[in-house]
Amino acid sequence: MRRLVTVTALCVLVLSGCRRFGSLPSAEVLQRATAASAQLESAQYEARVEITSGKAPVAFDARAELHGILGHGGQETAFSAAVNGSFSRAGLPQTAFTVQADVVSEPTDAYVLFHTLSFNPALSGLTGSQGLLGSWLRLPRDTDAPPALSLTPDPLFLRAQASVVNVVEDKGLERMNDKDAYHYIVSINPERLLALMQSTAESNGRAFDLALARDDLAKYDATGELWIDAGTFLVRRLVWNVTSKQAAADTTPFRVMFSADLAMHNTAPSITIPSDARLVPPTLLRSLLPSP
């Protein structure tokens, strides 16, 4: 009996050790994390994205698995994506789709190499879509990308997590791959996020409507979690759930669930921009998948 009590006590101590109070207040951790992220040049990430929307005239449901790299201080990203889902329009049958592609993104252009691009049933007017497979395509940033490609994370947002959030709850320290990490429940700080969006747009020579962006941001609720390395103060893991505040009673609200694990901070491989990409016709690109 004494041995059982001792073993039980040890187990309790071990389990409680998985979540401990950190030595620094959350405000200081975020401040250090913001400074560390500002110096971050590269990182590797594994991400998962789910998007659902029942808003008329298009109902949309998609999931993506991403394996990628951030580079050039968050100005560039390269990743492989496996995307599948379905969409439906009023009066038309539901269409399932599958996309497998490599993507490279820089401030002025995005590049896509489609390996698989399928629709069931086939979409009318896309009989030539198989010609998009097997070679790099260039998408200017002012082109509306199909939603399957819009599932990709913004690299600067991945890099700047700690600078645009408020801590809702401090969950203490947790062990992640034999290292301590501060775990926080967080919410978006709208003004900080807007400032980041504005500075990013302006640095890339793009117009930014602050009032419109603020109105759009106010339409959503966003809650998340961050795990910040207790030694380097770099973000190790993040989770976000974003839901539209308004939805008709008979529709599913627009919802995004996103999670990512980051590793190889400042040691990730370099990104190569495709040099032989051909410009894809914007009309064909927009017709691939309707916007949710």
Side-chain angles (χ1 to χ4, degrees):
M1 177 63 71
R2 182 177 300 173
R3 179 177 298 175
L4 177 60
V5 172
T6 301
V7 171
T8 302
L10 288 174
C11 289
V12 170
L13 287 174
V14 170
L15 290 174
S16 64
C18 294
R19 179 170 293 171
R20 312 181 309 281
F21 288 111
S23 59
L24 296 175
S26 60
E28 183 172 350
V29 172
L30 288 185
Q31 183 178 17
R32 294 193 184 193
T34 299
S37 295
Q39 301 300 316
L40 181 65
E41 283 299 313
S42 67
Q44 190 176 72
Y45 64 89
E46 306 284 328
R48 295 149 297 281
V49 188
E50 295 184 14
I51 294 182
T52 57
S53 176
K55 184 178 180 181
V58 179
F60 188 84
D61 178 33
R63 294 155 299 282
E65 297 279 343
L66 312 174
H67 309 275
I69 297 169
L70 304 177
H72 198 60
Q75 296 290 327
E76 300 172 351
T77 184
F79 57 87
S80 297
V83 187
N84 64 82
S86 63
F87 61 88
S88 59
R89 288 172 286 193
L92 296 175
Q94 185 178 70
T95 299
F97 64 87
T98 300
V99 178
Q100 292 182 325
D102 295 328
V103 179
V104 175
S105 177
E106 59 176 346
T108 56
D109 295 301
Y111 305 84
V112 183
L113 174 60
F114 287 109
H115 300 290
T116 301
L117 183 62
S118 64
F119 302 89
N120 185 23
L123 297 180
S124 60
L126 283 180
T127 55
S129 63
Q130 295 305 306
L132 298 175
L133 302 180
S135 61
W136 282 102
L137 308 173
R138 180 169 65 89
L139 289 62
R141 281 295 191 182
D142 56 0
T143 299
D144 292 332
L149 301 181
S150 299
L151 292 172
T152 62
D154 186 293
L156 282 173
F157 181 66
L158 281 179
R159 180 175 179 259
Q161 287 286 303
S163 66
V164 297
V165 300
N166 295 322
V167 171
V168 176
E169 181 182 355
D170 186 342
K171 305 289 285 186
L173 288 172
E174 294 183 9
R175 296 294 285 177
M176 294 184 65
N177 299 324
D178 296 324
K179 293 183 179 180
D180 282 340
Y182 290 92
H183 180 193
Y184 299 123
I185 307 299
V186 296
S187 63
I188 287 290
N189 183 305
E191 294 307 314
R192 292 178 189 167
L193 178 56
L194 287 168
L196 173 66
M197 295 167 63
Q198 183 173 20
S199 63
T200 300
E202 291 176 349
S203 65
N204 293 326
R206 298 196 300 267
F208 183 78
D209 190 326
L210 180 60
L212 180 61
R214 181 177 283 109
D215 289 343
D216 286 341
L217 196 59
K219 297 176 182 177
Y220 301 94
D221 285 322
T223 58
E225 297 181 68
L226 291 184
W227 286 260
I228 298 172
D229 191 285
T232 64
F233 296 96
L234 291 166
V235 174
R236 300 275 301 281
R237 178 179 296 165
L238 56 104
V239 175
W240 282 103
N241 289 281
V242 182
T243 307
S244 61
K245 295 179 180 178
Q246 296 180 342
D250 58 346
T251 63
T252 302
F254 179 77
R255 179 180 293 112
V256 178
M257 291 178 285
F258 174 78
S259 62
D261 290 277
L262 284 76
M264 297 186 68
H265 297 82
N266 290 320
T267 60
S270 59
I271 294 172
T272 301
I273 305 298
S275 59
D276 57 349
R278 60 188 175 93
L279 184 65
V280 63
T283 53
L284 177 59
L285 188 67
R286 283 193 294 268
S287 67
L288 288 179
L289 292 173
S291 298

